[in-house]
Amino acid sequence: ARGGLALQCATFLRNKKYVVPWIGDATNKDNSHTIIVNWRGTKGIAEARVLAKTMGITTQRIVNYDYPKKKVDFTVVLGKNWK
């Protein structure tokens, strides 16, 4: 069932013109809230906020890291609250 939700989320984001290069399983499947991991540090904060708004997620659920070697800008970890 979770894989179905991930596919739904990826389709939703792709329809909003986001690039979703892959879908994977989270290590912790008991997250109650969806989070957005911003791998671009301060450079990605504004775009992470737009992504959060697009997904209906509070900006308090954005986790910021400065990891420029990461191949993606953001990782979305779906929680039980994702619809």
Side-chain angles (χ1 to χ4, degrees):
R2 300 276 316 147
L5 288 177
L7 183 57
Q8 286 177 354
C9 180
T11 300
F12 170 80
L13 292 173
R14 287 173 177 146
N15 287 339
K16 300 287 184 182
K17 306 302 180 203
Y18 285 93
V19 175
V20 181
W22 68 84
I23 302 168
D25 289 331
T27 53
N28 179 3
K29 298 192 182 4
D30 292 326
N31 294 317
S32 56
H33 297 282
T34 298
I35 63 167
I36 295 170
V37 181
N38 164 28
W39 297 107
R40 297 295 175 240
T42 55
K43 296 176 187 172
I45 289 174
E47 191 175 347
R49 288 180 177 159
V50 171
L51 176 58
K53 183 177 179 183
T54 299
M55 295 184 68
I57 299 169
T58 176
T59 56
Q60 294 174 338
R61 299 284 177 207
I62 299 171
V63 179
N64 296 297
Y65 291 104
D66 189 6
Y67 189 59
K69 293 183 181 183
K70 191 78 172 171
K71 293 181 180 180
V72 294
D73 294 335
F74 306 103
T75 299
V76 175
V77 181
L78 294 179
K80 294 179 180 178
N81 68 327
W82 174 255
K83 298 174 180 159

